[in-house]
């Protein structure tokens, strides 16, 4: 006869609020700390990304400001150079009468030297020996001629340098005015040009004082 066994009453485990997870018991407090850690990590990541983006934006703004400052200084330097060139061009154009006098003085000394050579030849009874070559050979030793010649050479160099800088720093209208002046001087083969031609250069320089400044680019 089979005896009927009564189920053994197992003692009930007390409810502790712990959750079984793969054999490891976790509490709600542990889960809260895990979520808090994730939030902290995410917040740190956002702060790091924000710092990088902020640095990039700040760097871009600083670079743009730097380019703006450099461009402004470049514009200011060109403008000041143009103002200085207007003063210099005005001064040297007003001194062209001095160049004319240097040329006249050279001719006078050349004639005087010629008379001296001619007088010396006549005294020797050789009037036919007076030639241009004879004058040319002796005029280099003539102090007045050499002084006037040196002054003219100095003025020519200063004038050429000034006009070159004017053509470099100003626009097409100024360059055309300078070319017209140089053409007149070449055709005359001496220091002689129309006053209006010189005034035209100064007028165009003033009109083109700010020429191209807004178009300056920094590469």
């Amino acid at each position: 006869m089979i005896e009927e066994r009564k189920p053994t009453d197992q003692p009930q485990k007390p409810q502790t609020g712990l959750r079984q997870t793969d054999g490891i018991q976790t509490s709600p407090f542990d889960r809260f700390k895990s979520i808090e850690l994730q939030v902290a990590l995410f917040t740190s990541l956002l702060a790091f990304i924000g710092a990088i983006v902020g640095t990039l934006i700040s760097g871009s703004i600083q670079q743009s400001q730097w380019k703006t400052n450099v461009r402004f200084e470049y514009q200011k330097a060109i403008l000041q150079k143009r103002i200085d060139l207007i003063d210099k061009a005005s001064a040297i154009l007003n001194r062209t009468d001095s160049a004319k006098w240097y040329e006249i003085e050279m001719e006078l000394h050349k004639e005087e030297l010629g008379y001296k050579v001619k007088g010396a030849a006549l005294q020797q009874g050789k009037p036919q020996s007076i030639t241009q070559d004879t004058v040319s050979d002796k005029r280099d030793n003539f102090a007045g001629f050499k002084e006037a010649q040196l002054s003219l050479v100095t003025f020519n160099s200063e004038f050429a340098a000034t006009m070159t800088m004017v053509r470099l720093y100003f626009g097409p209208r100024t360059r055309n005015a300078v070319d017209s002046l140089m053409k007149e001087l070449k055709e005359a083969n001496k220091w002689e040009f129309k006053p209006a031609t010189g005034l035209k250069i100064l007028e165009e320089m003033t009109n083109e004082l700010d020429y191209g400044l807004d178009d300056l680019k920094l590469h």
Side-chain angles (χ1 to χ4, degrees):
M1 184 174 181
I2 302 174
E3 294 182 1
E4 184 179 354
R5 293 182 180 181
K6 294 182 179 181
T8 303
D9 294 335
Q10 298 293 332
Q12 296 291 329
K13 294 181 179 180
Q15 298 294 327
T16 61
L18 301 177
R19 191 175 75 178
Q20 192 78 16
T21 305
D22 296 333
I24 302 175
Q25 293 181 340
T26 60
S27 67
F29 179 71
D30 293 331
R31 294 198 300 273
F32 174 76
K33 288 197 299 182
S34 177
I35 294 174
E36 186 180 38
L37 179 60
Q38 293 177 10
V39 171
L41 290 174
F42 183 69
T43 303
S44 299
L45 180 61
L46 286 179
F48 178 70
I49 295 175
I52 293 178
V53 173
T55 301
L56 292 175
I57 294 176
S58 176
S60 177
I61 292 175
Q62 289 179 0
Q63 184 180 24
S64 177
Q65 184 64 37
W66 177 82
K67 286 186 176 180
T68 300
N69 292 339
V70 172
R71 185 169 179 266
F72 173 75
E73 292 299 327
Y74 191 28
Q75 289 174 325
K76 187 169 69 172
I78 291 178
L79 184 61
Q80 185 59 54
K81 184 64 176 180
R82 288 177 176 176
I83 293 174
D84 293 342
L85 281 172
I86 290 177
D87 291 338
K88 191 170 184 178
S90 176
I92 201 164
L93 285 170
N94 287 327
R95 286 171 49 205
T96 53
D97 285 341
S98 298
K100 294 178 183 178
W101 169 246
Y102 296 146
E103 289 180 333
I104 294 172
E105 189 176 9
M106 287 172 62
E107 290 298 323
L108 291 174
H109 285 306
K110 193 190 308 184
E111 291 180 4
E112 184 178 356
L113 181 58
Y115 292 144
K116 290 183 178 180
V117 173
K118 183 177 180 180
L122 289 174
Q123 289 180 358
Q124 298 175 8
K126 301 177 180 179
Q128 300 300 323
S129 64
I130 304 304
T131 64
Q132 185 62 40
D133 291 337
T134 304
V135 175
S136 299
D137 289 340
K138 295 186 178 300
R139 71 184 180 194
D140 290 339
N141 296 323
F142 192 72
F145 179 89
K146 289 294 292 183
E147 184 179 352
Q149 186 183 46
L150 179 60
S151 298
L152 182 60
V153 169
T154 301
F155 179 84
N156 287 344
S157 298
E158 183 180 353
F159 182 87
T162 301
M163 291 300 110
T164 298
M165 296 300 291
V166 168
R167 295 186 87 265
L168 179 64
Y169 273 89
F170 287 84
R173 294 169 58 179
T174 300
R175 290 194 290 269
N176 289 338
V178 172
D179 291 342
S180 296
L181 172 63
M182 302 307 291
K183 182 180 178 181
E184 284 191 32
L185 290 173
K186 184 177 180 180
E187 291 176 350
N189 197 27
K190 58 182 178 180
W191 275 103
E192 186 174 312
F193 59 88
K194 299 175 183 177
T197 306
L199 291 176
K200 183 67 174 176
I201 293 177
L202 299 177
E203 178 183 349
E204 297 299 359
M205 290 173 71
T206 304
N207 292 335
E208 292 186 328
L209 191 59
D210 61 347
Y211 173 80
L213 291 182
D214 293 334
D215 299 328
L216 288 176
K217 294 181 180 180
L218 297 177
H219 299 288

